[in-house]
Amino acid sequence: MGSGRAHGVFACLRQALGLAIAALLVSCGPKQEESVSVGFIGPLTGNAVDLGLAPSKAIALAIREYNETRGEGDPLVTFAFEDDGWDGANAVPLYEKLRREHDIDILMMSHTDGTMALQDRVREDGVLLVNSLNNDQLLSTMNENTFVIGKKTEEAAQIVAARVLELGKRKVKGFHVTNSFMTISATAFSEHLRQHEVEVEIVPVDISKVDFKEELQRFQAEGCDAIAFFGYKNFGFAMKQARELGLEAPFFASTTTLGDGYFENSEGALVGTEFSFFTANDGNYVLARRFLDRYRLEYGEKPLSVWPPMQAYDAANILLNVLRNGKRESGEPMVEWLKRSLHEVNYYQGVCGNVAIMKDGTSRGIYFSLYEVKGPGQVEKVKR
């Protein structure tokens, strides 16, 4: 997304939030009431904009809906967001800014590396952190202030590995970006295949890499019958270059394959790629369609990749449901109440399905399927 377009989107979103909150404050009159401040950090620009921009809008929508319908005694919820540019090193300074300027009680994130970087800070400050993007073994080891509400990373990668096995592929090459999520995905994919004696080599590369010819030529010389891509839109260039070199092996990829710019970078080579994905058909279809319709009405567009905002919407509403219906003990600190209440969630009917929170702060109930890219923004579930 260009800087001008991004600036316009952020300005409109901030203005809409400001007007909505101001109107609510005025309508509430002079009475002082409790408020809860929610912050968000994620990629609003850069290589993975689809993992941050649409989720931030989904959270803003959930908060607006809550504020407009909250009952007497329900706290007002405010919202502020920051762009980490998909760089985990930005998490700490952006968190400090949100704490300084908005005194946030809850931080929602769309970044594993950023979530890890903030573990000591959220525990010390008594802030609740909710990652609404990833859910994996690494994040399950975080401290008691951190919750993860989303699909299981390892399971999503294993879906793709199972398809490779189903098609009888025996020599797999590929690439993975070196951040935590893609490393975990590539590792789970590789381990599943090696258990079935498949030869696998997934090369780690930087997210900024755009020329893959050297590695692809080696893949061609050594031979391979499948190529896997665990990364973002820069791998569109790799797919294009692979086809230009005459590599005809089928492509397999990760959950981010519908990311902004991926198809364009591949110049159509992305068509036919099979990957793990999630749509309204995989969740609660009625609630999911209702959410996507409201999203389109609010923002004038439908998200290209629907699962990141769907997960963010569910995560936000699980928290808001506690604020609306939870029973807080007298004198109980806000964050302690939220933590206790989240652990009691065992059947939340959301747009993604029926979500439960485990004792370690991870979640269950969101299950991806195998899809094939048919065209720009077009996918079809793989018939098995």
Side-chain angles (χ1 to χ4, degrees):
M1 174 181 290
S3 59
R5 180 186 166 201
H7 177 75
V9 171
F10 303 157
C12 290
L13 185 54
R14 290 183 195 278
Q15 182 181 33
L17 285 167
L19 290 172
I21 292 169
L24 284 161
L25 289 171
V26 169
S27 67
C28 292
K31 180 182 177 182
Q32 293 294 317
E33 59 184 340
E34 187 173 32
S35 66
V36 176
S37 179
V38 177
F40 173 83
I41 298 175
L44 307 181
T45 58
N47 283 298
V49 65
D50 56 298
L51 302 181
L53 187 55
S56 71
K57 291 180 176 181
I59 295 167
L61 178 59
I63 290 173
R64 197 200 73 174
E65 292 169 344
Y66 163 86
N67 280 331
E68 290 178 346
T69 59
R70 67 194 178 100
E72 184 178 354
D74 294 338
L76 174 72
V77 178
T78 61
F79 184 50
F81 53 91
E82 295 293 339
D83 175 20
D84 68 6
W86 205 232
D87 185 347
N90 292 327
V92 171
L94 291 177
Y95 168 78
E96 291 174 343
K97 181 181 179 184
L98 287 168
R99 285 283 289 168
R100 182 175 63 252
E101 296 182 1
H102 302 280
D103 193 23
I104 59 171
D105 305 290
I106 300 168
L107 176 64
M108 300 192 69
M109 295 200 71
S110 279
H111 202 159
T112 293
D113 291 351
T115 298
M116 294 167 59
L118 288 171
Q119 287 303 294
D120 290 340
R121 296 300 302 272
V122 296
R123 180 170 50 196
E124 292 169 4
D125 296 339
V127 170
L128 184 76
L129 192 161
V130 177
N131 184 312
S132 65
L133 187 71
N134 299 327
N135 173 15
D136 52 51
Q137 186 61 41
L138 175 64
L139 290 174
S140 73
T141 65
M142 301 295 103
N143 69 58
E144 67 279 3
N145 281 41
T146 298
F147 292 79
V148 290
I149 299 174
K151 50 85 174 71
K152 193 81 164 61
T153 301
E154 291 89 349
E155 289 177 0
Q158 288 163 358
I159 289 171
V160 183
R163 178 59 170 170
V164 171
L165 290 172
E166 182 182 340
L167 295 175
K169 307 303 180 183
R170 306 304 300 172
K171 191 170 185 179
V172 181
K173 302 284 190 181
F175 303 96
H176 78 85
V177 168
T178 54
N179 65 9
S180 296
F181 173 76
M182 290 304 174
T183 300
I184 291 169
S185 295
T187 299
F189 172 82
S190 300
E191 288 178 350
H192 190 80
L193 290 178
R194 289 182 182 127
Q195 289 173 3
H196 294 81
E197 300 181 348
V198 174
E199 183 181 332
V200 187
E201 180 193 10
I202 309 296
V203 178
V205 299
D206 187 79
I207 194 171
S208 62
K209 185 178 175 66
V210 296
D211 186 356
F212 302 85
K213 290 180 182 176
E214 182 178 344
E215 293 89 350
L216 289 167
Q217 286 171 340
R218 180 172 64 78
F219 292 175
Q220 190 173 42
E222 295 176 358
C224 61
D225 54 13
I227 305 177
F229 301 89
F230 292 92
Y232 310 94
K233 65 181 181 181
N234 58 319
F235 283 164
F237 297 116
M239 291 179 172
K240 173 179 177 290
Q241 291 164 0
R243 295 303 188 229
E244 289 175 343
L245 289 170
L247 277 164
E248 298 180 354
F251 294 157
F252 300 89
S254 65
T255 58
T256 55
T257 304
L258 280 197
D260 184 52
Y262 208 138
F263 189 91
E264 291 77 8
N265 290 345
S266 79
E267 295 188 14
L270 189 63
V271 171
T273 300
E274 295 186 8
F275 67 114
S276 52
F277 195 59
F278 189 92
T279 70
N281 293 321
D282 299 297
N284 184 315
Y285 182 78
V286 173
L287 295 180
R289 291 311 315 173
R290 191 178 302 161
F291 158 65
L292 291 171
D293 288 344
R294 285 199 299 264
Y295 183 103
R296 184 170 57 250
L297 210 63
E298 181 77 9
Y299 300 111
E301 62 182 9
K302 175 186 172 183
L304 183 62
S305 184
V306 297
W307 66 266
M310 286 175 65
Q311 290 187 174
Y313 188 72
D314 271 353
N317 274 309
I318 287 172
L319 288 165
L320 296 169
N321 190 57
V322 172
L323 295 178
R324 190 191 302 275
N325 300 311
K327 295 181 179 179
R328 186 177 179 183
E329 297 176 3
S330 177
E332 186 177 18
M334 171 69 70
V335 171
E336 293 304 313
W337 172 45
L338 291 172
K339 286 162 54 177
R340 175 176 60 80
S341 300
L342 287 177
H343 281 299
E344 295 172 358
V345 175
N346 57 23
Y347 187 86
Y348 175 79
Q349 191 175 47
V351 298
C352 293
N354 299 322
V355 180
I357 307 295
M358 305 293 104
K359 291 182 179 180
D360 59 5
T362 61
S363 60
R364 294 293 182 273
I366 302 175
Y367 302 109
F368 276 44
S369 300
L370 190 72
Y371 281 82
E372 179 183 344
V373 177
K374 306 299 286 187
Q378 302 169 9
V379 298
E380 183 179 287
K381 186 173 285 191
V382 174
K383 295 181 175 62
R384 315 294 284 275

